[in-house]
C-alpha cells in the first residue's frame, strides 16, 4: 500500500497529538517544573501545527489555518530551545521566540487566501532552522551536555535545522513544484522525517524532565524563601544578590560569587539510593552555613549546585573562603551508613574582574565549575576574563 503526502501528513499530525498529550499529562501529574512547562508548551504548539495544517487539508479556503500552523511551528521549536536554556539554569529568552513567531505569522497572513499553502514558507523554514541550531547548541552545553538524553535532543534539533535549511534553499532555488523539492522535501518526506524526530524528542525530554524531578527532590522544593536544604532558594538568592551587588557598587565594596557543585551526585543516588543523595545535599548545605562568612548569602540553585555571595577585600580572600568550605566538606563522611566523603567543584568570580552584574558573575562561575568538572572535580577554579590581544611591538 502506497501512502500519499496528505495521508502521511495526517498520520504525522496524529503522532504529534499522541506524544504531546502524553507529555503534557505526565507533566501535569508530576511536579510542574519550569523546563517541563516550556517543553509542554512546545507540544501544545505542535498540536496546533497539526490542527492548522489538517484544517487546510480539509478546506483549502481556510488560509488562516496556514498562518496558525506556521506561527505554532516557530513556537514549538522555540519552546524546546527555551526549555533547554532553563534546564541549564539560564533565562528562557522566550521573548525572542515570541517576536520571531509574530513576524512569521504576519508575513504568512499578508498574502491572504492568495498565498496558498506556501505562504511565508521560506521565512518559516529559515527561522525554524535558526532556532533548531540555537536549541541544539544549548543542549550541548551546561548540565545537558553531561546527559545522554540532552545530547540526543541536541541531535534531533540539529537534524531539524539541517532539514529545514535544506528545504528553504530548495524552495528558493527550484520552487515547490520541482522534482528535487517534491522528492526530498515534499509533504510526504517531511511528514516521515517529522514523525521520527517527534518520537525521539518526546522520549528524550520526557526522561530529562523525569530525571530533573527525581534528582532535585531537595534541590528545588521551596519552603517560603528557602529551599528544603535550609538556605535561600534560587529565586530568593538572585533577588537578594542583585540588591547586594547594586549597593556594593554604589559604595565601591568588593563582593565575590562562589559556586559549588557536589561531585558525583547522580552516582551517589544510583549507588546508595535517593535518601543518600538527599542527605548529601542537606549535609552540603549545613557545611556551607557553618563555614561561609556569617553575613554571606547562600543560595540553592539546583540539585547539587549552590552559590555564595560574600563581601571580600581581594581575590585572595575569596579563595581563602572557598578553601575553608572545601576543607570543612571533607572533614567527615556522609552520615554513619555511607562511608564516603563528599567533594565538590568550586568556581569563583569577583567584582574586581567581572563587575557588579549578577548575570555575568553567574556565567563566569558556571564556566569555572565546568572547567573543574572536566578535570575530575574536587578543585577550585577562578574565573578570569579573556586574555587581552597581544600588542604589536
Amino acid at each position: 500500500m502506497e501512502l500519499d503526502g496528505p495521508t502521511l501528513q495526517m498520520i504525522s499530525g496524529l503522532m504529534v497529538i499522541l506524544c504531546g498529550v502524553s507529555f503534557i499529562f505526565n507533566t501535569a501529574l508530576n511536579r510542574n517544573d519550569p523546563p517541563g512547562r516550556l517543553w509542554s508548551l512546545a507540544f501544545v504548539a505542535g498540536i496546533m501545527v497539526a490542527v492548522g495544517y489538517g484544517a487546510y487539508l480539509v478546506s483549502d479556503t481556510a488560509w488562516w489555518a496556514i498562518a496558525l500552523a506556521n506561527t505554532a511551528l516557530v513556537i514549538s521549536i522555540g519552546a524546546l530551545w527555551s526549555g533547554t536554556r532553563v534546564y541549564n539554569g539560564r533565562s528562557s529568552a522566550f521573548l525572542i521566540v515570541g517576536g520571531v513567531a509574530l513576524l512569521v505569522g504576519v508575513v504568512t497572513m499578508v498574502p491572504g487566501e492568495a498565498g496558498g499553502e506556501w505562504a511565508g514558507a521560506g521565512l518559516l523554514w529559515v527561522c525554524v532552522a535558526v532556532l533548531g541550531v540555537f536549541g541544539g547548541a544549548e543542549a550541548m552545553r551546561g548540565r545537558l551536555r553531561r546527559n545522554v538524553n540532552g545530547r540526543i535532543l541536541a541531535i534531533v534539533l540539529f537534524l531539524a535545522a539541517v532539514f529545514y535549511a535544506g528545504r528553504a534553499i530548495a524552495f528558493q532555488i527550484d520552487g515547490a513544484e520541482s522534482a528535487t523539492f517534491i522528492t526530498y522535501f515534499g509533504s510526504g518526506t517531511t511528514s516521515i522525517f517529522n514523525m521520527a524526530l517527534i518520537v525521539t524528542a518526546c522520549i528524550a525530554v520526557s526522561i530529562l524532565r523525569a530525571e530533573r524531578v527525581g534528582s532535585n527532590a531537595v534541590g528545588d522544593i521551596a519552603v517560603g524563601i528557602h529551599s528544603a536544604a535550609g538556605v535561600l532558594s534560587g529565586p530568593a538568592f538572585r533577588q537578594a544578590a542583585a540588591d547586594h551587588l547594586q549597593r556594593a557598587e554604589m559604595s565601591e565594596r568588593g563582593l565575590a560569587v562562589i559556586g559549588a557543585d557536589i561531585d558525583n551526585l547522580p552516582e551517589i543516588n544510583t549507588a546508595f539510593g535517593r535518601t543518600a543523595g538527599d542527605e548529601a545535599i542537606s549535609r552540603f548545605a549545613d557545611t556551607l552555613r557553618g563555614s561561609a562568612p556569617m553575613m554571606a548569602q547562600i543560595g540553592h540553585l539546583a540539585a547539587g549546585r549552590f552559590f555564595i555571595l560574600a563581601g571580600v577585600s581581594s581575590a585572595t580572600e575569596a579563595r581563602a573562603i572557598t578553601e575553608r568550605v572545601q576543607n570543612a566538606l571533607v572533614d567527615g563522611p556522609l552520615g554513619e551508613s555511607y562511608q564516603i566523603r563528599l567533594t565538590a567543584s568550586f568556581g569563583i568570580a569577583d567584582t574586581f574582574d567581572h563587575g557588579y552584574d549578577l548575570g555575568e558573575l553567574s556565567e563566569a562561575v558556571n564556566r569555572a565549575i565546568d572547567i573543574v568538572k572536566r578535570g575530575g572535580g574536587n578543585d577550585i577554579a577562578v574565573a578570569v576574563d579573556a586574555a587581552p590581544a597581544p600588542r604589536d611591538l
Side-chain angles (χ1 to χ4, degrees):
M1 181 177 65
E2 184 176 347
L3 299 177
D4 57 9
T7 302
L8 286 171
Q9 193 169 338
M10 293 297 292
I11 295 173
S12 176
L14 180 60
M15 188 72 69
V16 171
I17 293 172
L18 291 174
C19 290
V21 170
S22 174
F23 184 85
I24 296 165
F25 185 69
N26 283 319
T27 302
L29 288 180
N30 293 284
R31 187 165 53 84
N32 194 7
D33 61 327
R37 288 196 295 270
L38 285 165
W39 288 334
S40 293
L41 175 60
F43 283 104
V44 170
I47 292 172
M48 297 308 299
V49 172
V51 170
Y53 289 142
Y56 189 79
L57 284 176
V58 173
S59 174
D60 57 8
T61 60
W63 59 270
W64 51 267
I66 294 295
L68 171 67
N70 288 357
T71 304
L73 180 56
V74 173
I75 293 174
S76 182
I77 299 297
L80 287 175
W81 169 50
S82 294
T84 60
R85 286 180 60 91
V86 173
Y87 194 99
N88 281 334
R90 306 175 70 197
S91 63
S92 68
F94 193 74
L95 284 177
I96 297 175
V97 177
V100 174
L102 180 62
L103 174 63
V104 169
V106 170
V107 170
T108 305
M109 291 186 70
V110 166
E113 188 173 352
E117 64 177 311
W118 305 115
L123 176 63
L124 167 69
W125 297 333
V126 169
C127 292
V128 168
V130 171
L131 290 173
V133 170
F134 286 173
E138 187 64 37
M140 291 298 292
R141 69 188 301 274
R143 297 174 61 196
L144 285 170
R145 181 182 59 200
R146 303 192 297 267
N147 191 306
V148 64
N149 290 289
R151 296 193 290 272
I152 290 173
L153 179 59
I155 292 172
V156 168
L157 291 170
F158 280 138
L159 287 175
V162 171
F163 180 84
Y164 279 98
R167 201 178 193 204
I169 293 170
F171 181 76
Q172 292 298 323
I173 294 176
D174 298 325
E177 303 301 326
S178 68
T180 300
F181 184 88
I182 294 173
T183 302
Y184 297 105
F185 302 105
S187 59
T189 304
T190 303
S191 298
I192 295 172
F193 177 82
N194 286 342
M195 279 189 283
L197 293 193
I198 288 162
V199 172
T200 307
C202 182
I203 294 172
V205 297
S206 295
I207 296 174
L208 286 170
R209 185 198 56 76
E211 289 177 345
R212 178 181 172 88
V213 170
S215 65
N216 292 357
V218 172
D220 285 346
I221 297 175
V223 181
I225 66 170
H226 292 91
S227 82
V231 297
L232 291 175
S233 64
F237 172 80
R238 294 185 185 94
Q239 186 175 4
D243 176 66
H244 279 66
L245 286 164
Q246 186 179 37
R247 290 157 57 194
E249 184 175 20
M250 290 188 293
S251 58
E252 298 183 349
R253 300 289 183 88
L255 291 173
V257 177
I258 301 169
D261 193 276
I262 301 174
D263 293 330
N264 304 317
L265 183 59
E267 288 76 7
I268 292 173
N269 281 326
T270 301
F272 300 99
R274 280 282 309 282
T275 300
D278 290 350
E279 186 175 338
I281 293 171
S282 297
R283 179 173 176 265
F284 192 76
D286 289 340
T287 300
L288 293 181
R289 296 179 69 227
S291 55
M294 185 177 65
M295 300 305 293
Q297 301 292 319
I298 304 174
H300 194 175
L301 275 70
R305 183 158 298 197
F306 294 78
F307 272 17
I308 303 170
L309 179 71
V312 296
S313 58
S314 65
T316 302
E317 183 179 358
R319 187 174 183 94
I321 293 172
T322 309
E323 290 175 348
R324 184 165 69 244
V325 173
Q326 186 184 37
N327 292 333
L329 182 63
V330 297
D331 277 347
L334 174 58
E336 298 180 356
S337 303
Y338 316 104
Q339 296 302 310
I340 58 175
R341 295 180 184 274
L342 288 179
T343 63
S345 301
F346 295 89
I348 306 171
D350 57 52
T351 55
F352 309 112
D353 291 332
H354 299 277
Y356 292 87
D357 181 77
L358 179 59
E360 293 183 8
L361 287 165
S362 299
E363 285 286 337
V365 168
N366 288 327
R367 288 196 301 270
I369 291 175
D370 287 342
I371 290 172
V372 177
K373 287 284 189 185
R374 289 195 294 271
N378 192 25
D379 203 353
I380 301 169
V382 178
V384 295
D385 292 329
R391 293 179 295 176
D392 295 331
L393 298 178

